Each structure stands twice: as C-alpha cells, then as structure tokens.
Amino acid sequence: MVGGRLAQLETWVLLDHEAFEHNLLAAVGPTEWLEVSVGAIHGLSFSDAKWGLAAPLLQGKVLLAPPLSGGTPGIALALGVLAPTGSPPVVLSGWNAYGYLALTQNIADERVLIHANLGVAALLTGPERVTVVTAGVGTQVRLYRFVHAVGEVFAGDPFDPRRVAPSMQVGFRLILSDVVQVDGTAGAALANDDVHVPLGAAWWGTLGLRLVTPPLWRLEPR
C-alpha cells in the first residue's frame, strides 16, 4: 500500500528470450486503507521486431488489516482490469480481469517479511477465454542497512492468464529512503506448459524503480 495522501510511480523493465518490456504503474492513496492505480505495458518483440502497447491497466487495492510486528499478518484485497486496447504483440485478445488476496507477515520489525497471495485471473472476451488460479509465496530479508534479498515461487500471471507455468525468481531490493527504492530479479519457469499458449518467459530479468511523493495534501485541523 502506498499510504494515505501519498502517490508513487513504479516503473520496471523486463528482458526475456522473447521480448523487452517496459511497465509503468502510478498509484495514489486517498486514505491509509485504499490505493488506486493506473498503468500501461509496452515493449518490443524480438521474433517479429514489432513494438506493442497494452493500456490502460486499472487496479484498486484495499487494506483489510495492517501487518503487526510479531503479530497478525496484514491482509489486502486487489482487483484489476486490463483493457484489450493497444497494439500487438503486447495487447491481449480480450478484457482481462483479476483479483487476489495478499497476506504479509512482519517479523522482527520488518527484518523479515513473508508474503503470500491467492487469486484468479480471467480473459473474459475474445477467442482465448481462459480462467486460471494465481498463487505465490515470497520473502524479503534485510541483509544490511538498506540492502534486502527477495525471493518468490509463484504460478499464474494476473496481467496475462495465458501464463500458468510454475516459476521462481530471486533478487535484491535497495530501500534507499522512504522516497526511493531500486530492485532487480532473475527468474525462470520451473516446468513446461502444454495447455495454454504462449508459455511466456522461460527465463527473465527485471530492473525496477519506485518513487514516492511527500504528502499531497494536509489534513485540516478540526
């Protein structure tokens, strides 16, 4: 969650054997418990040398319970939709809707974070209609000051229900301040997928940046 009265920009690039992809996601937190995001995906396909775009991506996230250090996990619910507008090969063939429940366990004042999510993603229209379950378990461990290690095992992609193969990724997160974070990952699929096509990336790498604004407005005294 971005936090009340704050806004953030998340941008990351992804490189795999099929394409180079750039993601943009801007979010604002009207309150501590609500986050609203809008984004877009664009990239270059290596096979046909075509640049594609998919937009807009709209997402809302509600914080149901905050994570307490050594206590109960935080719980959030996210719902989103990606419109079939843009240009191939990035754009999907129909409306994609997804939702997931996310849990975060805070251990030792955020020295260790355990994340888990479970949800559903579906292509609702077009010739490739499909519904899949998405799930993931990951962790973030503080190594030294602002340096953190991250890892995740997951199956399914909320942004593209055609990608269902179980996968894993490991990487780093540099929390330089409350304003700037940098992260990177390397990942690979753990199994082939003979049902839904395309399989997606057999391997990939990402590099991302997260920027958070100061409070956008002040609370008026009562």
Side-chain angles (χ1 to χ4, degrees):
M1 306 293 296
V2 60
R5 300 179 293 128
L6 302 178
Q8 75 176 18
L9 174 66
E10 289 181 282
T11 177
W12 67 98
V13 292
L14 181 148
L15 174 67
D16 62 32
H17 70 289
E18 294 180 334
F20 177 79
E21 183 178 288
H22 181 214
N23 296 259
L24 285 166
L25 192 63
V28 62
T31 68
E32 291 288 344
W33 54 269
L34 177 63
E35 176 185 294
V36 180
S37 305
V38 59
I41 305 166
H42 64 107
L44 174 67
S45 170
F46 297 145
S47 61
D48 51 14
K50 288 185 177 180
W51 196 272
L53 169 71
L57 170 67
L58 303 174
Q59 177 179 282
K61 187 183 294 183
V62 178
L63 181 64
L64 304 178
L68 302 177
S69 181
T72 58
I75 304 174
L77 175 66
L79 299 172
V81 61
L82 179 59
T85 53
S87 58
V90 178
V91 67
L92 298 177
S93 60
W95 284 90
N96 173 39
Y98 63 90
Y100 62 87
L101 194 67
L103 282 77
T104 294
Q105 181 66 59
N106 181 351
I107 301 173
D109 194 23
E110 298 189 355
R111 291 184 182 276
V112 178
L113 297 174
I114 305 296
H115 302 290
N117 63 78
L118 180 64
V120 175
L123 274 172
L124 302 177
T125 61
E128 297 179 285
R129 296 187 186 185
V130 62
T131 300
V132 299
V133 174
T134 64
V137 177
T139 186
Q140 175 178 305
V141 180
R142 186 189 306 166
L143 300 179
Y144 176 73
R145 297 180 64 185
F146 58 84
V147 180
H148 302 250
V150 298
E152 182 184 19
V153 177
F154 62 95
D157 183 348
F159 296 164
D160 189 345
R162 299 170 302 176
R163 299 181 177 181
V164 299
S167 305
M168 69 172 295
Q169 60 182 352
V170 295
F172 68 90
R173 176 165 290 126
L174 307 179
I175 304 180
L176 303 176
S177 69
D178 293 336
V179 176
V180 180
Q181 294 184 22
V182 178
D183 59 68
T185 66
L190 299 177
N192 291 325
D193 179 4
D194 297 326
V195 179
H196 301 292
V197 293
L199 166 63
W203 58 264
W204 67 87
T206 71
L207 184 64
L209 174 67
R210 179 176 183 258
L211 302 174
V212 181
T213 68
L216 299 179
W217 64 88
R218 294 182 179 180
L219 294 176
E220 296 294 333
R222 294 184 178 180

